[in-house]
Amino acid sequence: MRPIRCRVFAILAASSFLAAAPAVAQPRALDWTAFSVDARLDSTGRLHVRERQAMLFNGDWNGGERRFDVRQGQRFVFRRLLRVDSLTGAEVEMREGSLDVVDGYAMTVRHTLRWRSRLPEDPLFLNTKITYVLEYEYSDILVTEGTGYRLDHEFGFRDRTGTIANFDLTLRVDPAWRTPAGFTGEFHQPVLEPGIGYVVNIPLTWQAAGLPSAVRRSPPLPLRVGLLAAVVLAIITMTTRFLRDETALGRFAPLTPLSSIDRAWLEQHVLSLRPELVGYAWDEQVGPAEVAATLARLVAEKKLGSRVESRGPRWLRRHVLHLELLVPRGNLQGYEKSLVDGFFAPNAETTSTDDIRARYKSSGFDPSGLIRQPLTELFSRMTGMAEPPVKSRRWPLTAALCAAAIALFGVVLRTRQADGVAALVAGVVGIPGFAVARVMAAVWRRRVVRPGPHLLFVLLPLVAVTAVFGWALATGLGAIGAVALTAVALLLVVAFRSVLNGARSTSTTARWLLRKQLAAAREYCRLELQKPKPALDDSWYPYLLAFGLGRHVDKWFRAFGGATTTADAGSGLRTTSHSSAASSGDASPGAFSGFGGGGGFSGAGATVAFSAAVGTIARGVSAPSSSSSGGGRSSSGGSSGGGGGGGW
């Protein structure tokens, strides 16, 4: 006790010294000669606090400050601020709203209270003692521990520069709560050094009927389990219905066995259509592969001539495609003419990769856009398989569920703000999983090969989010209320429903049957290109481009093309439909000669170069874009209370 008495004596001695010194010499200092707290924990779990601070000002202070540390999930209400008259001892209520007048106070920022004790033109404080009384209350500060509760609250704030002398705390607890044996509710500390607070940490037992209304707690376990069961049941129901509908369309039907595919089968199901139509039917998209297939077909039909120049060293080789128009433009119809008009300048009979880039340098060029609509219309006329309109009857229920979740969030934010914030955070955390699943669903909607296993990857992100939600329900994490948990559950159901709707097919059964056949044909060609002598025909080269197998063709040449590939590809090779260099033009029907004679592609190396060059030209020219950038007694507190205080 002797060191403590010395500190108190030092504070009083310093006060006497400052009182005798001139005003101009006063340092800016603020201490407390007394600090008493009268706290009451009521039957609901609210903590009502009356805090009396005897503050000793010296120097250029405007007034006092109290920063309240309100933790996540707690609610805080400041009631009033009073000043104790130094002569009469009467408590004078101060005026809220303005800090421009003495005895005015306001919350300057969230949970930070300031009050004015001196105007700027008034004399500096000189050992001036002013006593203030603060009244406020906390809700949701008790922590649940199984069937019990705990009060872990800091009554003396530690975030300050001054010393508190004579700290007293009286804590009264309503009889609805049973306190530990030996608890008196009376606490005293002679000195609290700067950075030191005063924490009370005691277990409590609820012994009244019902439950305390001002305590955050998780819903009963049966309710949480029921909510999780409802979510899982909804997900299973939606997924089962989705699988049933997609199965009826033929999504999960097996591909045609590769052993059943031969030349006659290919001629019936694949070669009867133009290669660009095959490419569109297979992946339901019109893109560079369809453009490349169209150009390759026009070369094979001797409507265009082609020549490829390969420039630069092998690791930096650039293939430049030169095209020559071999028939009058008037002989071309539909999208063939549109494509030629796009690639060739007006009245020009030749063009090249470099010419096209220079021509569209400032405007950009998308050859896929020229053929997209006419190609889809031609496919519908030739096959009778018109694309059905997208069904939108499923969105009203999704929108209604989403609106209900948002409405519940609104209710929670008005009644239990902490629950609303926690629920919103949970929703935001789940957004990445939903976004990934939504993108994968859009990709899966066109998937033909092995759709079942890949569907698992679509749903996996949302399954992971659901597992986290189930874990939070099982553990009662965060003591989130039933309404907020219901809102999160609705959002989870909405996310699953949205992803499944995004994965739903918009095609007919007939189109899926055709796509399955084409997928089997593509797989057949891909596997054949792994053999030294594939059972392929030279004239099928445009179809391989339509299937996106150009790289597989190139890989075949690198593996089995031999010295011819290296010699031809390394020179400024020529490959035109009217060239006498078509050395394998006498190949027997159905023979695979490395596309040396079929379709006007001269030599294996020429085909390698053509594949790379036509792929480049089919992607078009990107429009220029602009971008901008810009320059952007405890040294630790309890689970509630604490904060800071002093002057300003």
Side-chain angles (χ1 to χ4, degrees), residues 117-451:
S117 307
R118 167 188 165 275
L119 295 175
E121 61 272 18
D122 292 341
L124 301 182
F125 284 126
L126 178 61
N127 202 31
T128 305
K129 178 181 176 182
I130 309 176
T131 301
Y132 295 96
V133 177
L134 292 72
E135 296 181 354
Y136 54 89
E137 67 181 46
Y138 283 94
S139 299
D140 296 325
I141 67 166
L142 296 183
V143 180
T144 57
E145 293 184 341
T147 59
Y149 302 84
R150 180 171 293 276
L151 174 65
D152 185 10
H153 188 81
E154 184 178 357
F155 289 92
F157 52 84
R158 52 193 167 87
D159 184 10
R160 52 184 163 76
T161 58
T163 301
I164 295 178
N166 301 312
F167 176 83
D168 290 287
L169 166 64
T170 300
L171 175 58
R172 293 172 289 128
V173 179
D174 189 273
W177 302 96
R178 185 171 69 246
T179 58
F183 175 79
T184 63
E186 299 292 335
F187 304 90
H188 175 74
Q189 188 67 33
V191 174
L192 291 177
E193 300 287 356
I196 303 298
Y198 198 91
V199 176
V200 174
N201 188 325
I202 57 172
L204 298 169
T205 304
W206 177 253
Q207 52 187 10
L211 292 171
S213 60
V215 178
R216 294 183 71 244
R217 58 186 176 277
S218 299
L221 181 59
L223 180 61
R224 286 180 276 142
V225 172
L227 184 60
L228 178 61
V231 171
V232 173
L233 180 61
I235 291 173
I236 292 176
T237 301
M238 291 185 296
T239 306
T240 301
R241 184 174 300 174
F242 169 82
L243 294 175
R244 182 196 63 194
D245 294 344
E246 296 299 301
T247 301
L249 287 173
R251 286 295 301 270
F252 301 102
L255 300 182
T256 302
L258 299 185
S259 59
S260 303
I261 299 178
D262 54 17
R263 177 176 294 273
W265 187 94
L266 291 172
E267 290 178 349
Q268 176 184 355
H269 297 288
V270 180
L271 304 178
S272 58
L273 294 173
R274 294 181 179 181
E276 60 268 27
L277 291 178
V278 168
Y280 165 69
W282 173 68
D283 61 4
E284 290 191 330
Q285 297 184 87
V286 177
E290 286 69 32
V291 174
T294 303
L295 292 175
R297 178 178 60 80
L298 293 177
V299 171
E301 293 175 353
K302 304 182 187 301
K303 295 177 180 179
L304 293 178
S306 68
R307 178 172 58 88
V308 181
E309 294 183 34
S310 298
R311 304 170 181 172
R314 183 173 184 178
W315 56 90
L316 293 175
R317 184 165 299 161
R318 186 171 70 92
H319 303 291
V320 178
L321 177 64
H322 295 261
L323 295 176
E324 180 182 0
L325 185 59
L326 302 180
V327 298
R329 294 197 189 196
N331 292 358
L332 301 174
Q333 301 294 327
Y335 63 85
E336 292 181 355
K337 185 176 186 303
S338 299
L339 204 58
V340 167
D341 289 341
F343 282 120
F344 290 79
N347 302 320
E349 293 185 355
T350 61
T351 189
S352 69
T353 305
D354 294 340
D355 294 338
I356 295 169
R357 286 176 175 171
R359 182 181 174 190
Y360 294 104
K361 180 179 180 180
S362 60
S363 61
F365 176 48
D366 178 22
S368 303
L370 297 177
I371 69 173
R372 183 170 291 113
Q373 182 175 351
L375 190 63
T376 56
E377 292 176 351
L378 177 62
F379 177 82
S380 298
R381 290 196 305 270
M382 293 185 65
T383 63
M385 300 178 187
E387 186 72 19
V390 178
K391 297 180 181 180
S392 59
R393 293 178 296 174
R394 302 182 186 277
W395 71 263
L397 178 56
T398 304
L401 292 174
C402 188
I406 294 174
L408 289 177
F409 276 129
V411 172
V412 174
L413 286 173
R414 292 178 61 88
T415 57
R416 295 189 69 179
Q417 188 177 21
D419 278 5
V421 172
L424 286 175
V425 169
V428 171
V429 170
I431 286 178
F434 169 73
V436 171
R438 199 67 172 80
V439 171
M440 296 182 67
V443 174
W444 187 87
R445 185 171 56 193
R446 294 187 175 92
R447 173 164 289 279
V448 184
V449 180
R450 301 183 66 197

